[in-house]
Every structure is written in structure tokens, then in C-alpha cells.
Amino acid sequence: MAKDKYSILLPTYNERENLPLIIWLIVKYMDESDIDFEVIVIDDGSPDGTLDVAKELQKIYGESKVVLRPREKKLGLGTAYIHGMKHAKGNYILIMDADLSHHPKFIPEFIAKQKSKNYDVVSGTRYEGDGGVYGWDLKRKIISRGANFLAQILLRPGASDLTGSFRSCLRRVQTGRQRDCFSTPRGFSLCSLQRDLY
Amino acid sequence: MFTKLQQWLSAIFLYASFWLSSFYDKLPLTLSDPWKEIIFASPIYFLITFACFSLATIGYRVAIFNDCTEASEELKKEIIEAKKDLEKKGLKIS
């Protein structure tokens, strides 16, 4: 059997400061665990020149590791994922934020979790276990917990974090659902997770 | 399979019809007055119970919301390391 390959989708908008850092961290932790991967940067025409930085990074890490799939203008997070998936070469897809709110050191844990019971989808969460937030004030925490509580009661989704976007899944799961996901970020998050679970 | 919306609507419909038929004395049961009063006030009881439960749950969860201060410190160190290494590799961030 061929070795697994992970396509990490990184949608960016004005992330010229963070993009080198997140890619450096991804490379560090993936190499440490000897995981085959590619990073797909989907830049939505950032005015701050994120794409130029991405090109520099491509020179450093190689075109097979850093793949650029930019789009002309800001078209939204949901469609960015779909756009990235179309170009993904890996048999696994992993989505995460480029702004350093998701740490790549957890990717090997995602993979181990997926392998443990051959899960279709593995999702990170801010609400349980070691998950958490940084720099949130009380108001933001209350709103977040309140909205999450309501969603849990009304939808009983069986997943503790519906709007987070640190997830991995099998490629076939992602591609199968592309056609009927809406394109708003939260909508995509919610809808994709729901489809995965049922 | 029923959608969540259908499940909610059927539950609400069931409860509403039960409550209304008791209110208009259409239930095929002879209920004593205290029972009728309980049924009559039950929406309020549910509401209060739910409100208390929600407040307690959300309050507790806000209190135990993880602040990742250690993770943040660790990340700051890694960022410094990353910047040095990237500079060595020839990345120019103007």
C-alpha cells in the first residue's frame, strides 16, 4: 500500500507575517514524525502581499511541499477549502487556520486518532480536554459557550466544536460532500461536520 | 430519518396538543384539580428549569474554559526560533 499523504489546506488573507511561521511549524512537526505532506496555500488576493511571501517559501521548501493555489479576490473561506481540495494530491485532507490559532504539533495526534479506529473525520475542539483559547475576555467566552450550548441542545451534533476549523479527514469524504455545502465559513464548518457525522 | 427540525416540531406539537386538550378539558382522563394546575403551569416550570440548567451549565463551562497561557509561551519561543531559521534559509520579509 502506498504511503499516506496529507494535504494541508491553508486559506490565507493578509497573513504575510504568519504564513512563514505556520509553514515552518508544519514542516518541523511533519518531518519530526516522518509524515508525507503538502501545504496548499489558497490566498484570496491579499493586498499585503501574502502571495509573494508564499512564493519565497515555495523556493525554500520546494514546489512539492508548498503548493500555491491563489484566487483573484476574496471569495470566502468555504469555497477556499473546496478550491484547495480540487488540487489536493494527498489521500487525506487537513484544514487549519494560518493565523497560528491551530498548532501543527497536534497533526500527528490527529493522524494517530484517525488510525486508531479508522475514523472518517477527526476534529479539534476548543471546548473539551486540552483544547482551549488564548486572549479571550469574559464576554467572548460567555458568547462562545452560550452559542455552543444552544447549538448542542438544538442540533445534538455529537461533536463539541462545530465552528472550529482544525480538522482532518479522508479525501473521499471531503470530495463527496463538496457539491452540497454552502460557502459561508460557518455554514461550511457546520454543514461539513454534519454530513460527516450522519 | 427525521431531521432535527422535524424532531423538534413533532415534540413541540405533541406537548402543545397535550397542554391544550388538558386546558379545554378534552383529555379522556379525569384529572384532579392539583394535576390540572400542574399541567397548566408546566410550560413555566419547564422554562424556569431550562433557564437554571442553562445558566449553571454555561457558567460552569465559562469558568473551566481553558486559557492556553503555557501554549502561548511555547509558541512565542517557537516563533523566535522560526524567524531565525527562516532568515538563515534566505527568506526576506521586508
Side-chain angles (χ1 to χ4, degrees):
Chain A
M1 209 180 87
K3 204 180 162 213
D4 288 331
K5 183 172 176 142
Y6 291 81
S7 293
I8 301 168
L9 306 186
L10 274 186
T12 57
Y13 190 76
N14 288 349
E15 297 285 4
R16 69 172 293 141
E17 296 279 317
N18 290 327
L19 189 66
L21 304 174
I22 189 77
I23 288 184
W24 186 86
L25 286 166
I26 290 173
V27 173
K28 179 186 172 189
Y29 285 94
M30 298 303 261
D31 284 351
E32 255 176 32
S33 307
D34 193 28
I35 298 161
D36 191 17
F37 73 100
E38 60 174 356
V39 179
I40 301 176
V41 180
I42 306 128
D43 186 64
D44 266 11
S46 306
D48 76 339
T50 305
L51 191 58
D52 299 331
V53 177
K55 280 177 186 157
E56 291 288 314
L57 288 160
Q58 199 177 32
K59 277 181 208 153
I60 294 171
Y61 291 110
E63 287 183 18
S64 63
K65 288 283 173 242
V66 179
V67 181
L68 307 181
R69 293 286 172 243
R71 301 190 296 175
E72 289 292 304
K73 56 181 181 353
K74 206 174 178 188
L75 295 167
L77 189 58
T79 55
Y81 289 135
I82 293 166
H83 179 75
M85 272 172 232
K86 279 183 196 152
H87 300 283
K89 291 197 181 74
N91 53 337
Y92 286 90
I93 307 274
L94 192 132
I95 61 172
M96 65 190 297
D97 289 352
D99 64 359
L100 301 173
S101 52
H102 302 149
H103 200 298
K105 71 180 171 190
F106 296 111
I107 297 174
E109 281 182 44
F110 271 67
I111 294 169
K113 188 84 193 168
Q114 192 280 324
K115 295 245 178 288
S116 70
K117 282 190 180 163
N118 197 27
Y119 290 115
D120 284 344
V121 177
V122 179
S123 172
T125 178
R126 290 161 289 181
Y127 301 110
E128 274 172 19
D130 296 334
V133 293
Y134 179 71
W136 282 23
D137 60 8
L138 190 63
K139 187 180 155 198
R140 191 162 174 198
K141 281 183 179 175
I142 293 171
I143 292 171
S144 173
R145 281 295 195 182
N148 187 259
F149 173 77
L150 209 61
Q152 294 295 337
I153 296 264
L154 291 174
L155 302 169
R156 282 160 284 137
S160 65
D161 198 335
L162 297 170
T163 50
S165 50
F166 195 7
R167 282 192 200 132
S168 74
C169 65
L170 287 162
R171 186 191 162 86
R172 59 177 168 77
V173 180
Q174 283 281 21
T175 38
R177 80 158 84 93
Q178 278 176 18
R179 61 180 177 276
D180 39 25
C181 274
F182 18 110
S183 56
T184 63
R186 295 222 171 213
F188 179 84
S189 256
L190 267 164
C191 158
S192 66
L193 196 59
Q194 196 207 13
R195 293 210 178 269
D196 297 336
L197 289 165
Y198 297 105
Chain B
M1 188 169 144
F2 295 104
T3 65
K4 286 286 178 297
L5 181 66
Q6 285 165 333
Q7 290 173 22
W8 277 106
L9 288 179
S10 12
I12 290 167
F13 179 77
L14 253 165
Y15 177 67
S17 36
F18 172 73
W19 189 85
L20 279 171
S21 27
S22 135
F23 185 72
Y24 290 111
D25 260 332
K26 300 280 192 230
L27 278 182
L29 303 161
T30 38
L31 290 168
S32 57
D33 280 351
W35 272 112
K36 275 186 192 161
E37 272 167 38
I38 289 172
I39 293 170
F40 178 71
S42 64
I44 301 289
Y45 293 155
F46 282 132
L47 210 66
I48 292 170
T49 315
F50 179 69
C52 291
F53 172 69
S54 306
L55 276 178
T57 315
I58 294 169
Y60 174 69
R61 287 179 180 173
V62 167
I64 61 158
F65 216 145
N66 242 347
D67 274 311
C68 305
T69 12
E70 269 171 47
S72 156
E73 290 306 316
E74 192 195 320
L75 183 62
K76 272 179 202 153
K77 279 181 203 141
E78 280 185 310
I79 288 174
I80 295 167
E81 202 187 322
K83 279 182 176 161
K84 269 189 205 153
D85 188 50
L86 283 164
E87 219 165 284
K88 229 190 291 170
K89 288 192 165 89
L91 182 77
K92 298 174 289 278
I93 311 172
S94 45

